[in-house]
Amino acid sequence: MIVLKFGGTSVGSVENFRKVAGIINDVKEPKIVVLSAMSGVTNTLVKLIENLESGDTNNALVQINALNEKYIEVARDLLDDDNGFYKAQVFLNKHHQQLLSMVTEKFTTTVERIIMAEGELVSTNLFQLFMEEHSDSVLLSALDFMQIDKYGEPNTNVIQDRLSKILANHLSKDTFITQGFICRNEKGEIDNLKRGGSDYSASLIGSAVNAKQIQIWTDIDGMHNNDPRYVDQTFSVQEISFHEAAELAYFGAKILHPQSIIPAQEKNIPVLLKNTFKPECKGTLIHNKARSEKIRAIAAKDNITAIKIKSYRMLMAYGFLKKVFEVFEQNKTSIDMITTSEVAISLTIDNTSRLNEITRDLQGFGNIEIDSELSIICIAGDLAQNNKGITSAIFNGLKDIPVRMISYGGSNYNLSFLVKTSDKIAVLNILNQGLFPELKTENALYV
Ligand code: ASP
Ligand code: MG
């Protein structure tokens, strides 16, 4: 079994729906196709929810009707067969009526979650009607097998059990379509795996059926060795290990939801990142057997705030760090990078919504300094300490750039450092020129 997941832009228009169908039909093995909502739809649903919550029924009605018109137009263009279009109209009308009924209903989080699920339910139903005109596919409702527990975590045993029973009812079929993102919670209500959760769905489904491969189709050629928005000569990385992908996903290589590869990694299922609009591009394969590279890729994360706590009480004391970390725990703020000296600790956060409370709670610990507008630069690769020369190559190139913090040795796959965001583009370019032998540049510092 192969799992193919297509993101919002891949199903963003009639033309793209057709492209997706072409890609699926080229896969000559049994497959489960996981779709996101059409691009922009989930954002519209979020706005609709905001309007319902604030009681702005006029705007809510405008949004609901506009969405319905858009869908009818898509169905009309997509479906050649009158019967298919009729079925689409019946389906769309039911969903339109459901949304309209929510305008008068009392707004609750249950209503909110039902609305959030609409995007994926509609995209998959339209796509199934289109597929029915050409080939033989089965639409599976993710609500029949995707299950989260009371902590919002996927219940993998239940998912596996239910999905295998459902598939066993369709032994003669080999193409299944289902929704990403949506699920049921422990109360049996409609729920979701949080924004961007369709990748996670694909990975959970792949793990549940022990898929041979999970393919994530988006609108870029896989993972790049550097950020193409700021650096000219980037290339897509052909293969990468799960460890490296996990480091990079967090640091802003936004192609994958960071959590989403965990189920695939646990079962050792390769994940292939592909471009729907350039299927001929090889893409990036994330797997355990990736040939090791000293430097695989570079990524940056902005909006970082550094907090330094300096205290002579820390010298040779125990339990100091625990108390500092408790402040962050109490303020529900996660820490990204940490460095310590004997008498000081520096750490970074990206969520500053409780910075005032954190600063207040840290007062008793020593002298506090806060710096903002910083960026973390993450270098991923096989950076084990016996790979000599890597750190000198990196920092030689950066001799004119002030570096605020360095973190190395946390894992063998990551070296991160903190710079002013105003230096970020220069840093990304210097490192790109220096660290990738593939580019054969004049400023090479190859390690
Ligand atoms: N449609 C959902 C979102 O935009 C889930 C996804 O596309 O991954 O967040
Ligand atoms: Mg998406």
Side-chain angles (χ1 to χ4, degrees):
M1 189 72 92
I2 297 208
V3 174
L4 297 96
K5 179 259 170 175
F6 293 88
T9 33
S10 301
V11 291
S13 66
V14 171
E15 197 193 335
N16 297 354
F17 267 120
R18 293 186 200 280
K19 286 201 173 89
V20 168
I23 291 169
I24 295 169
N25 289 334
D26 283 347
V27 176
K28 301 292 174 224
E29 294 192 44
K31 57 213 159 232
I32 302 180
V33 178
V34 180
L35 301 184
S36 283
M38 295 180 74
S39 54
V41 167
T42 307
N43 287 341
T44 305
L45 296 174
V46 169
K47 288 201 197 99
L48 169 61
I49 288 164
E50 281 163 11
N51 284 330
L52 290 178
E53 198 173 5
S54 66
D56 187 347
T57 39
N58 282 347
N59 263 324
L61 286 170
V62 170
Q63 280 162 334
I64 292 170
N65 292 331
L67 204 53
N68 185 52
E69 271 160 39
K70 169 187 159 128
Y71 284 149
I72 297 272
E73 208 175 301
V74 169
R76 190 177 289 120
D77 287 354
L78 184 68
L79 303 166
D80 295 329
D81 179 34
D82 285 348
N83 185 34
F85 181 54
Y86 174 73
K87 283 194 205 157
Q89 278 178 305
V90 172
F91 169 83
L92 291 173
N93 186 40
K94 194 177 112 210
H95 283 260
H96 188 206
Q97 294 307 326
Q98 185 182 13
L99 284 183
L100 288 175
S101 74
M102 296 195 165
V103 177
T104 44
E105 223 172 275
K106 183 171 171 290
F107 183 83
T108 60
T109 51
T110 313
V111 167
E112 172 176 349
R113 287 190 250 108
I114 293 173
I115 295 177
M116 283 298 275
E118 280 294 298
E120 273 71 11
L121 287 171
V122 173
S123 66
T124 46
N125 271 276
L126 289 179
F127 189 68
Q128 167 66 11
L129 288 172
F130 176 63
M131 288 293 282
E132 276 173 17
E133 291 185 351
H134 306 274
S135 58
D136 195 16
S137 60
V138 182
L139 180 65
L140 305 180
S141 174
L143 300 176
D144 291 340
F145 61 86
M146 269 297 185
Q147 181 72 39
I148 52 173
D149 61 21
K150 62 177 180 214
Y151 306 105
E153 292 298 324
N155 198 329
T156 48
N157 289 337
V158 171
I159 297 171
Q160 181 167 3
D161 196 46
R162 290 196 188 148
L163 189 53
S164 61
K165 285 195 182 116
I166 293 171
L167 292 174
N169 289 334
H170 300 282
L171 286 178
S172 61
K173 306 288 172 154
D174 65 3
T175 303
F176 301 92
I177 316 286
T178 194
Q179 301 84 22
F181 180 58
I182 66 173
C183 60
R184 287 203 188 269
N185 61 24
E186 92 285 3
K187 294 189 203 132
E189 298 166 335
I190 295 183
D191 211 320
N192 61 65
L193 300 172
K194 309 278 176 310
R195 291 305 306 270
S198 292
D199 293 339
Y200 199 20
S201 302
S203 188
L204 288 165
I205 291 171
S207 159
V209 300
N210 265 316
K212 202 161 119 189
Q213 188 177 67
I214 297 164
Q215 302 183 353
I216 306 284
W217 290 79
T218 64
D219 50 7
I220 37 178
D221 304 339
M223 237 179 212
H224 276 238
N225 71 311
N226 203 331
D227 195 328
R229 287 170 303 177
Y230 308 113
V231 177
D232 276 343
Q233 282 179 291
T234 64
F235 53 90
S236 65
V237 175
Q238 284 199 6
E239 55 170 3
I240 182 166
S241 71
F242 280 108
H243 299 295
E244 293 162 336
E247 300 283 6
L248 285 165
Y250 174 72
F251 282 98
K254 289 227 176 66
I255 185 163
L256 260 193
H257 187 285
Q259 217 181 5
S260 66
I261 48 174
I262 297 170
Q265 178 174 18
E266 278 172 359
K267 288 253 178 114
N268 203 0
I269 302 170
V271 178
L272 179 63
L273 310 176
K274 290 278 287 178
N275 187 346
T276 305
F277 307 99
K278 283 199 220 150
E280 67 287 359
C281 284
K282 278 192 161 166
T284 301
L285 185 66
I286 309 174
H287 62 152
N288 275 344
K289 295 193 207 102
R291 200 168 32 93
S292 106
E293 287 284 347
K294 284 190 175 170
I295 307 282
R296 185 83 70 185
I298 302 169
K301 190 170 167 81
D302 293 340
N303 296 321
I304 301 294
T305 297
I307 303 171
K308 187 187 284 171
I309 306 133
K310 198 167 168 208
S311 166
Y312 292 118
R313 281 199 291 129
M314 188 176 156
L315 191 66
M316 287 184 279
Y318 53 84
F320 187 83
L321 292 179
K322 174 174 181 268
K323 289 184 202 128
V324 169
F325 291 154
E326 267 166 6
V327 169
F328 290 83
E329 187 198 347
Q330 279 148 13
N331 286 292
K332 295 192 170 53
T333 301
S334 81
I335 299 171
D336 297 329
M337 262 172 85
I338 311 169
T339 57
T340 66
S341 82
E342 287 306 324
V343 289
I345 161 168
S346 264
L347 45 83
T348 68
I349 58 173
D350 58 14
N351 173 0
T352 50
S353 59
R354 294 188 61 87
L355 184 58
N356 287 341
E357 289 83 348
I358 290 171
T359 317
R360 180 200 62 205
D361 296 349
L362 286 173
Q363 282 313 327
F365 291 98
N367 198 5
I368 314 294
E369 273 172 42
I370 314 267
D371 285 330
S372 52
E373 287 174 51
L374 301 169
S375 297
I376 298 180
I377 310 288
C378 160
I379 299 178
D382 182 5
L383 305 178
Q385 14 174 342
N386 50 0
N387 269 339
K388 294 188 197 106
I390 294 179
T391 40
S392 63
I394 293 168
F395 291 109
N396 269 342
L398 298 177
K399 50 187 175 297
D400 297 325
I401 307 276
V403 174
R404 166 75 171 76
M405 256 171 92
I406 300 172
S407 169
Y408 173 61
S411 88
N412 283 344
Y413 310 99
N414 165 318
L415 183 153
S416 301
F417 55 92
L418 195 62
V419 295
K420 285 198 208 115
T421 299
S422 53
D423 287 331
K424 176 187 76 173
I425 296 181
V427 171
L428 292 177
N429 278 282
I430 293 168
L431 294 176
N432 206 58
Q433 295 278 307
L435 296 181
F436 294 98
E438 295 88 329
L439 298 174
K440 300 196 174 51
T441 58
E442 279 167 32
N443 307 330
L445 302 160
Y446 309 139
V447 290

